[in-house]
Amino acid sequence: MINDVKKSAEQRMQKSLETFKTDLSKVRTGRAHTGLLDHVMVDYYGSDVPVNQVANVTLIDARTIGVQPWEKNMAAKVEKAIRDSDLGLNPSSMGELIRVPMPALTEERRKDLIKVVRSEAEGARVSIRNVRRDCNNDLKNLIKDKEITEDEERRGQDEVQKLTDKFIAEVDKALAAKEAELMAV
């Protein structure tokens, strides 16, 4: 019983951590990376699809992303979708290739992004703590149903707390790495 609760907690905490890391990857730094455009949606014959499903997304250099649509008539739609996204990018067409230069980040913008990243990290920590709370409630219910003893419950709570500490440390480590990446000029 306790092992099931612990395994469930670990899986849910891992999902929270993965979601946090995915959200971090969407925060733009001064460098270009192809994953930046993953959530940009393009109108493709009436349905919205991600850019990487209608075009080849590559890095031209450290500060420029190249987007080459597979169909020539999609170039204008892809360029418009990138321009209208919330990323603040200004793509330019060169024949079939769309160049997306990364503007340099100002100091003020960097500090704003760090605030965003910190709030994302706090959200991830809260999510992990919510999993801990749910697991502790599950353990208390097992005691009420007389399926485990109080000692086993206490041991289970200690194990869940160790998991919580481990995953919160992972969140803090990812946050520190992203902050360093954002402040690097």
Side-chain angles (χ1 to χ4, degrees):
M1 294 291 189
I2 294 176
N3 286 337
D4 293 342
V5 172
K6 188 176 151 193
K7 195 176 289 183
S8 163
E10 188 166 10
Q11 289 171 345
R12 289 173 56 198
M13 288 178 185
Q14 186 65 42
K15 279 185 186 164
S16 296
L17 181 63
E18 294 302 320
T19 301
F20 172 63
K21 286 182 176 179
T22 302
D23 290 345
L24 278 188
S25 69
K26 291 178 184 173
V27 174
R28 183 170 69 84
T29 59
R31 289 189 285 286
H33 64 93
T34 57
L36 198 61
L37 300 178
D38 283 352
H39 72 284
V40 174
M41 302 302 247
V42 179
D43 178 38
Y44 184 70
Y45 298 109
S47 60
D48 285 343
V49 295
V51 168
N52 59 7
Q53 291 185 11
V54 295
N56 193 17
V57 181
T58 57
L59 285 180
I60 296 174
D61 58 47
R63 285 188 150 329
T64 312
I65 299 174
V67 181
Q68 186 156 19
W70 294 319
E71 298 176 27
K72 288 182 181 180
N73 62 339
M74 290 300 296
K77 289 182 180 179
V78 170
E79 186 176 353
K80 182 180 181 335
I82 294 170
R83 186 171 285 118
D84 293 347
S85 71
D86 59 351
L87 297 172
L89 301 174
N90 192 16
S92 62
S93 286
M94 297 179 66
E96 292 178 21
L97 179 69
I98 300 169
R99 294 174 61 90
V100 186
M102 293 287 119
L105 294 174
T106 63
E107 189 69 26
E108 185 179 323
R109 181 73 177 130
R110 288 175 198 271
K111 288 181 178 167
D112 289 345
L113 287 175
I114 284 179
K115 285 179 188 172
V116 168
V117 168
R118 285 184 179 157
S119 73
E120 293 275 346
E122 189 54 38
R125 287 188 205 106
V126 167
S127 172
I128 289 169
R129 289 184 198 121
N130 286 342
V131 172
R132 177 188 62 192
R133 182 198 61 219
D134 293 345
C135 290
N136 286 343
N137 287 341
D138 292 345
L139 290 170
K140 284 184 176 117
N141 289 337
L142 287 174
I143 280 188
K144 281 182 187 169
D145 299 340
K146 301 205 183 310
E147 294 182 29
I148 62 172
T149 64
E150 286 185 17
D151 288 342
E152 289 172 325
E153 183 233 6
R154 202 163 292 117
R155 227 174 288 122
Q157 284 183 348
D158 289 344
E159 289 176 12
V160 169
Q161 182 60 46
K162 285 177 186 168
L163 274 177
T164 304
D165 294 342
K166 176 183 139 193
F167 280 100
I168 287 182
E170 288 285 324
V171 166
D172 292 341
K173 195 166 79 174
L175 172 65
K178 190 64 175 186
E179 282 183 353
E181 185 181 340
L182 282 169
M183 290 313 287
V185 179

